[in-house]
Amino acid sequence: MSNPFVSQLQQHSLWFAALSVTQQQQLVAQARLVQLGAGQRLFSRGDEFDGIYVLLSGALLIAGVHSSGREALLTIVEAGDWIGEIALFDRKVRTHDATASLACQLLHLNNSALQLLVQQDPLWWQRFGQLLTEKMRMVFQALEDISLLPASVRLARRLLLLCRLHQQDERYLIPVQQEQLGQLVSLSRQTINQLLQQLVAAGALRTSYGHIEVLDLTLLKQAAQLDPD
């Protein structure tokens, strides 16, 4: 009988879906389920390496804290995203904090499980390396977007990504504060506020304290300069 998490990961993780059926079964067989409540920390900057994770449901905030105490939100981990692979290769401590913004379910492959996989088949190192390079490609794309795209387009594209994470039936209700949104796209809170008001006036959004509701996905795609289809 196949593991129930295999089909779920095939749908949400392109990296996992590209593995052979045998590799998929091997990986999931070594994993254990982890559940977090909203606000619970998965790991903190400076923690020792304890394996890699894939998010099944919920949302994780990846952030760093400056010596002044100010927090910088770097990204929001979505279902199907893997985290922790940097420390898998360099064996150094965690680089950032990972905290559940919503209740989360994850699969965890600890260090012993990872070592068993690579002992069984050294080609797993190449597979895990692909996880790392995929993340590097996304970082480079984000840097390019910051350099080349207008602020309004960057914001609209980020909101579209968050829609995928926070769809509820036919509604898109995104629980994010304007300051957090600004950190994700490297814009000030004042600029974010102005751009959101433009989208509100256009009929694309409705804002309330701590939430953004997307009313018209087609209008938001137009603002993002993407094909509405």
Side-chain angles (χ1 to χ4, degrees):
M1 182 176 179
S2 63
N3 191 296
F5 297 120
V6 169
S7 59
Q8 188 174 354
L9 288 174
Q10 287 173 337
Q11 292 177 358
H12 295 292
S13 172
L14 293 176
W15 176 82
F16 184 86
L19 299 175
S20 69
V21 173
T22 299
Q23 289 172 328
Q24 291 176 358
Q25 294 288 348
Q26 285 178 337
L27 193 71
V28 175
Q30 296 295 330
R32 70 178 185 90
L33 184 66
V34 175
Q35 300 193 62
L36 299 176
Q40 190 173 352
R41 184 69 58 86
L42 179 63
F43 55 74
S44 300
R45 171 180 277 176
D47 284 354
E48 296 295 327
F49 173 70
D50 67 343
I52 65 174
Y53 299 83
V54 60
L55 186 63
L56 298 174
S57 63
L60 280 172
L61 304 181
I62 306 299
V65 179
H66 188 264
S67 57
S68 65
R70 188 181 179 198
E71 186 177 69
L73 179 62
L74 300 180
T75 190
I76 299 178
V77 177
E78 305 175 6
D81 289 344
W82 295 77
I83 59 172
E85 69 279 3
I86 293 176
L88 169 63
F89 283 89
D90 63 17
R91 296 289 160 166
K92 294 182 180 180
V93 297
R94 297 297 188 189
T95 57
H96 295 90
D97 302 331
T99 307
S101 61
L102 302 171
C104 293
Q105 279 195 332
L106 308 98
L107 288 182
H108 177 212
L109 285 152
N110 64 26
N111 189 45
S112 297
L114 293 167
Q115 291 303 315
L116 180 61
L117 285 174
V118 298
Q119 287 170 9
Q120 292 174 341
D121 183 359
L123 282 177
W124 273 111
W125 280 119
Q126 183 183 37
R127 301 292 180 260
F128 293 135
Q130 290 170 343
L131 272 180
L132 189 60
T133 54
E134 283 179 11
K135 191 161 292 184
M136 287 302 300
R137 287 179 182 276
M138 288 190 292
V139 169
F140 285 133
Q141 184 61 57
L143 291 173
E144 181 179 324
D145 288 349
I146 290 172
S147 299
L148 300 178
L149 293 178
S152 59
V153 175
R154 300 203 322 260
L155 174 61
R157 291 189 178 186
R158 173 57 68 170
L159 288 172
L160 285 171
L161 288 175
L162 293 175
C163 281
R164 181 165 65 90
L165 178 62
H166 296 289
Q167 183 177 8
Q168 301 175 10
D169 298 323
E170 297 301 318
R171 300 179 67 204
Y172 299 92
L173 191 63
I174 305 170
V176 65
Q177 299 176 4
Q178 292 187 18
E179 184 174 358
Q180 292 176 321
L181 197 53
Q183 291 172 354
L184 289 174
V185 291
S186 299
L187 296 171
S188 69
R189 186 185 182 282
Q190 291 78 10
T191 300
I192 289 291
N193 183 265
Q194 293 171 1
L195 294 174
L196 286 175
Q197 291 310 310
Q198 292 174 13
L199 290 169
V200 168
L205 306 177
R206 178 188 296 130
T207 61
S208 59
Y209 181 75
H211 288 84
I212 297 170
E213 183 176 1
V214 177
L215 303 176
D216 192 319
L217 207 58
T218 299
L219 288 175
L220 189 58
K221 288 181 178 180
Q222 290 175 355
Q225 297 182 0
L226 297 174
D227 188 341
D229 297 330

Short mmCIF file of all heavy atoms in Angstrom, two decimals, residues 29-59:
data_model
loop_
_atom_site.label_atom_id
_atom_site.label_comp_id
_atom_site.label_asym_id
_atom_site.label_seq_id
_atom_site.Cartn_x
_atom_site.Cartn_y
_atom_site.Cartn_z
N ALA A 29 9.20 6.99 3.15
CA ALA A 29 9.29 5.93 4.16
C ALA A 29 10.21 6.32 5.31
O ALA A 29 10.03 5.86 6.45
CB ALA A 29 9.78 4.64 3.52
N GLN A 30 11.18 7.20 5.05
CA GLN A 30 12.13 7.62 6.08
C GLN A 30 11.66 8.86 6.84
O GLN A 30 12.31 9.26 7.81
CB GLN A 30 13.49 7.93 5.43
CG GLN A 30 14.17 6.75 4.78
CD GLN A 30 14.57 5.69 5.79
OE1 GLN A 30 14.85 5.99 6.93
NE2 GLN A 30 14.54 4.44 5.37
N ALA A 31 10.55 9.46 6.41
CA ALA A 31 10.11 10.73 6.99
C ALA A 31 9.12 10.51 8.14
O ALA A 31 8.44 9.49 8.22
CB ALA A 31 9.46 11.59 5.91
N ARG A 32 9.06 11.49 9.02
CA ARG A 32 8.06 11.48 10.09
C ARG A 32 7.25 12.77 10.03
O ARG A 32 7.74 13.82 9.60
CB ARG A 32 8.71 11.33 11.46
CG ARG A 32 9.50 12.54 11.93
CD ARG A 32 10.06 12.32 13.32
NE ARG A 32 10.72 13.54 13.81
CZ ARG A 32 10.11 14.50 14.50
NH1 ARG A 32 8.81 14.38 14.77
NH2 ARG A 32 10.77 15.56 14.91
N LEU A 33 6.01 12.68 10.46
CA LEU A 33 5.10 13.82 10.42
C LEU A 33 5.35 14.75 11.60
O LEU A 33 5.51 14.31 12.74
CB LEU A 33 3.65 13.32 10.45
CG LEU A 33 2.55 14.38 10.31
CD1 LEU A 33 2.60 15.03 8.93
CD2 LEU A 33 1.18 13.76 10.56
N VAL A 34 5.38 16.05 11.31
CA VAL A 34 5.54 17.10 12.33
C VAL A 34 4.37 18.05 12.21
O VAL A 34 4.01 18.47 11.10
CB VAL A 34 6.87 17.86 12.15
CG1 VAL A 34 6.96 19.03 13.14
CG2 VAL A 34 8.05 16.93 12.32
N GLN A 35 3.77 18.41 13.34
CA GLN A 35 2.67 19.36 13.34
C GLN A 35 3.01 20.56 14.23
O GLN A 35 3.54 20.38 15.33
CB GLN A 35 1.38 18.69 13.82
CG GLN A 35 0.96 17.51 12.95
CD GLN A 35 -0.46 17.05 13.22
OE1 GLN A 35 -1.42 17.80 13.04
NE2 GLN A 35 -0.61 15.81 13.64
N LEU A 36 2.72 21.75 13.72
CA LEU A 36 2.98 22.99 14.45
C LEU A 36 1.69 23.79 14.57
O LEU A 36 0.90 23.84 13.64
CB LEU A 36 4.03 23.85 13.74
CG LEU A 36 5.42 23.28 13.52
CD1 LEU A 36 6.26 24.26 12.71
CD2 LEU A 36 6.10 22.99 14.85
N GLY A 37 1.52 24.45 15.71
CA GLY A 37 0.44 25.40 15.85
C GLY A 37 0.87 26.77 15.37
O GLY A 37 2.06 27.05 15.24
N ALA A 38 -0.09 27.62 15.06
CA ALA A 38 0.23 28.98 14.61
C ALA A 38 1.09 29.67 15.66
O ALA A 38 0.78 29.66 16.86
CB ALA A 38 -1.05 29.78 14.37
N GLY A 39 2.19 30.27 15.21
CA GLY A 39 3.10 30.96 16.10
C GLY A 39 4.21 30.10 16.67
O GLY A 39 5.14 30.60 17.30
N GLN A 40 4.16 28.79 16.41
CA GLN A 40 5.18 27.88 16.95
C GLN A 40 6.42 27.89 16.07
O GLN A 40 6.33 27.91 14.84
CB GLN A 40 4.61 26.47 17.06
CG GLN A 40 5.49 25.50 17.83
CD GLN A 40 4.81 24.16 18.06
OE1 GLN A 40 3.61 23.99 17.77
NE2 GLN A 40 5.56 23.19 18.55
N ARG A 41 7.58 27.86 16.69
CA ARG A 41 8.85 27.90 15.97
C ARG A 41 9.29 26.50 15.56
O ARG A 41 9.25 25.57 16.37
CB ARG A 41 9.91 28.53 16.89
CG ARG A 41 11.30 28.75 16.27
CD ARG A 41 11.32 29.82 15.21
NE ARG A 41 10.87 31.11 15.67
CZ ARG A 41 11.64 32.02 16.26
NH1 ARG A 41 12.91 31.77 16.47
NH2 ARG A 41 11.14 33.19 16.61
N LEU A 42 9.68 26.35 14.28
CA LEU A 42 10.21 25.08 13.80
C LEU A 42 11.69 24.98 14.14
O LEU A 42 12.16 23.97 14.67
CB LEU A 42 9.99 24.95 12.29
CG LEU A 42 10.53 23.68 11.64
CD1 LEU A 42 9.82 22.44 12.18
CD2 LEU A 42 10.39 23.74 10.11
N PHE A 43 12.44 26.01 13.79
CA PHE A 43 13.84 26.11 14.21
C PHE A 43 14.24 27.58 14.22
O PHE A 43 13.54 28.43 13.67
CB PHE A 43 14.79 25.27 13.34
CG PHE A 43 14.73 25.56 11.86
CD1 PHE A 43 15.28 26.71 11.32
CD2 PHE A 43 14.17 24.64 10.99
CE1 PHE A 43 15.24 26.96 9.95
CE2 PHE A 43 14.13 24.86 9.62
CZ PHE A 43 14.67 26.03 9.11
N SER A 44 15.38 27.86 14.86
CA SER A 44 15.84 29.24 15.02
C SER A 44 17.23 29.39 14.43
O SER A 44 17.99 28.40 14.30
CB SER A 44 15.88 29.63 16.51
OG SER A 44 14.61 29.52 17.09
N ARG A 45 17.56 30.60 14.05
CA ARG A 45 18.92 30.90 13.58
C ARG A 45 19.92 30.46 14.66
O ARG A 45 19.76 30.76 15.83
CB ARG A 45 19.07 32.38 13.30
CG ARG A 45 20.50 32.81 13.01
CD ARG A 45 20.59 34.29 12.74
NE ARG A 45 20.25 34.60 11.36
CZ ARG A 45 20.18 35.85 10.89
NH1 ARG A 45 20.39 36.89 11.68
NH2 ARG A 45 19.85 36.04 9.62
N GLY A 46 20.95 29.74 14.22
CA GLY A 46 21.95 29.27 15.16
C GLY A 46 21.73 27.85 15.65
O GLY A 46 22.62 27.25 16.25
N ASP A 47 20.53 27.28 15.38
CA ASP A 47 20.28 25.89 15.77
C ASP A 47 21.16 24.95 14.96
O ASP A 47 21.47 25.20 13.79
CB ASP A 47 18.81 25.52 15.55
CG ASP A 47 17.89 26.10 16.61
OD1 ASP A 47 18.40 26.69 17.58
OD2 ASP A 47 16.66 25.96 16.44
N GLU A 48 21.51 23.82 15.58
CA GLU A 48 22.26 22.80 14.87
C GLU A 48 21.38 22.14 13.81
O GLU A 48 20.16 22.06 13.95
CB GLU A 48 22.77 21.73 15.85
CG GLU A 48 23.77 22.25 16.87
CD GLU A 48 25.07 22.71 16.23
OE1 GLU A 48 25.46 22.11 15.20
OE2 GLU A 48 25.68 23.66 16.75
N PHE A 49 22.01 21.66 12.76
CA PHE A 49 21.29 20.97 11.68
C PHE A 49 20.59 19.73 12.22
O PHE A 49 21.20 18.91 12.92
CB PHE A 49 22.28 20.58 10.58
CG PHE A 49 21.69 19.73 9.49
CD1 PHE A 49 20.78 20.26 8.61
CD2 PHE A 49 22.04 18.38 9.37
CE1 PHE A 49 20.23 19.48 7.60
CE2 PHE A 49 21.50 17.60 8.37
CZ PHE A 49 20.60 18.15 7.48
N ASP A 50 19.31 19.58 11.91
CA ASP A 50 18.55 18.41 12.37
C ASP A 50 17.78 17.76 11.23
O ASP A 50 16.84 17.00 11.45
CB ASP A 50 17.59 18.80 13.49
CG ASP A 50 16.47 19.73 13.02
OD1 ASP A 50 16.62 20.32 11.93
OD2 ASP A 50 15.46 19.86 13.73
N GLY A 51 18.15 18.04 9.98
CA GLY A 51 17.49 17.43 8.84
C GLY A 51 16.79 18.44 7.96
O GLY A 51 16.93 19.65 8.12
N ILE A 52 16.03 17.95 6.98
CA ILE A 52 15.29 18.81 6.06
C ILE A 52 13.80 18.55 6.22
O ILE A 52 13.38 17.51 6.75
CB ILE A 52 15.73 18.59 4.60
CG1 ILE A 52 15.39 17.16 4.12
CG2 ILE A 52 17.22 18.87 4.44
CD1 ILE A 52 15.67 16.94 2.64
N TYR A 53 13.00 19.51 5.75
CA TYR A 53 11.55 19.45 5.91
C TYR A 53 10.87 19.78 4.58
O TYR A 53 11.42 20.53 3.77
CB TYR A 53 11.07 20.47 6.94
CG TYR A 53 11.62 20.31 8.33
CD1 TYR A 53 12.87 20.83 8.67
CD2 TYR A 53 10.89 19.66 9.32
CE1 TYR A 53 13.38 20.69 9.96
CE2 TYR A 53 11.38 19.53 10.62
CZ TYR A 53 12.63 20.04 10.92
OH TYR A 53 13.11 19.90 12.20
N VAL A 54 9.66 19.25 4.41
CA VAL A 54 8.79 19.69 3.33
C VAL A 54 7.44 20.05 3.95
O VAL A 54 6.92 19.32 4.81
CB VAL A 54 8.64 18.62 2.23
CG1 VAL A 54 8.05 17.32 2.77
CG2 VAL A 54 7.78 19.14 1.08
N LEU A 55 6.90 21.18 3.53
CA LEU A 55 5.62 21.64 4.08
C LEU A 55 4.47 20.98 3.32
O LEU A 55 4.40 21.05 2.10
CB LEU A 55 5.52 23.16 3.96
CG LEU A 55 4.30 23.82 4.61
CD1 LEU A 55 4.30 23.61 6.12
CD2 LEU A 55 4.26 25.31 4.28
N LEU A 56 3.58 20.34 4.07
CA LEU A 56 2.40 19.71 3.47
C LEU A 56 1.21 20.66 3.45
O LEU A 56 0.44 20.70 2.49
CB LEU A 56 2.02 18.44 4.26
CG LEU A 56 3.06 17.33 4.29
CD1 LEU A 56 2.60 16.21 5.23
CD2 LEU A 56 3.32 16.79 2.90
N SER A 57 1.02 21.41 4.53
CA SER A 57 -0.09 22.36 4.61
C SER A 57 0.26 23.45 5.60
O SER A 57 1.11 23.26 6.47
CB SER A 57 -1.39 21.66 5.04
OG SER A 57 -1.25 21.12 6.35
N GLY A 58 -0.40 24.61 5.45
CA GLY A 58 -0.12 25.75 6.32
C GLY A 58 0.84 26.72 5.69
O GLY A 58 0.97 26.78 4.46
N ALA A 59 1.54 27.48 6.51
CA ALA A 59 2.49 28.47 6.01
C ALA A 59 3.57 28.71 7.06
O ALA A 59 3.28 28.78 8.26
CB ALA A 59 1.79 29.79 5.69
#
